[in-house]
Amino acid sequence: MKLPTKLIVLTALFIGFGSFNVIAKVKVGEPLPNFELKTMDGTQVVNMDSLKGKVVYVDFWASSCKPCLKSFPLLNDIYNRKKEQGFEIVAVNLDQKKRNAEDFLNKKPVDYTNLYDANGDVSNTFNVSVMPVGYLVDRKGIVRAIHHGFLPGDEKKLEKGVSILLKR
């Protein structure tokens, strides 16, 4: 079976984008598990199934995560450039104290959706062991890449992968 060229290119892009966790409960090529969480302000419930048809980056983070501090403004830039084309970022905070997350967001405000995983149920579903960890999901809800950590230049690889998925 011959793989589509764009899928090969996307896979090649992400080989250097981050490590792949072989013991992860969520794997590349499989559907992203549906979950439902409230926004940080508690006014809205977001259900991941409702985002099918969009390219989504699900980003797990905590206020104590130094790479998260660097990634937030870069992710926000990508989001603002690509949202009109059908790109969404859903960030899931894992802080035990919600106030820590709120303080972080006051220092590093973003335009994309931030959810709060109060009991850690969602992070357990994903087996989150490092932060940040991000899941790039195609329009059909299939995980196309998993990225652990955040280093300078990662945002360029992510944006390239997002652009490829937006064209599909």
Side-chain angles (χ1 to χ4, degrees), residues 17 57 75 78 136 154-162:
F17 182 53
Y57 188 68
L75 291 174
I78 296 169
L136 184 59
D154 284 352
E155 74 281 2
K156 291 177 180 131
K157 294 173 188 172
L158 173 62
E159 187 164 5
K160 199 168 207 177
V162 167

Side-chain angles (χ1 to χ4, degrees), residues 10 14 17 20 28-29 57 134-137 142-147 165:
L10 182 63
F14 286 104
F17 182 53
F20 294 91
V28 172
Y57 188 68
Y135 297 82
L136 184 59
V137 181
I142 305 299
V143 177
R144 293 299 171 195
I146 302 171
H147 178 252
L165 290 177

Side-chain angles (χ1 to χ4, degrees), residues 61-107:
W61 69 281
S63 62
S64 61
C65 166
K66 291 188 193 241
C68 298
L69 191 64
K70 293 179 183 179
S71 72
F72 263 55
L74 299 171
L75 291 174
N76 199 53
D77 287 344
I78 296 169
Y79 171 72
N80 283 316
R81 282 194 303 278
K82 301 289 184 181
K83 66 183 177 183
E84 297 299 320
Q85 299 168 48
F87 178 57
E88 290 290 334
I89 295 178
V90 176
V92 180
N93 179 266
L94 306 179
D95 282 311
Q96 290 181 349
K97 294 180 182 175
K98 190 175 181 183
R99 184 72 194 147
N100 292 343
E102 293 167 338
D103 290 345
F104 180 99
L105 289 170
N106 285 332
K107 292 176 192 166

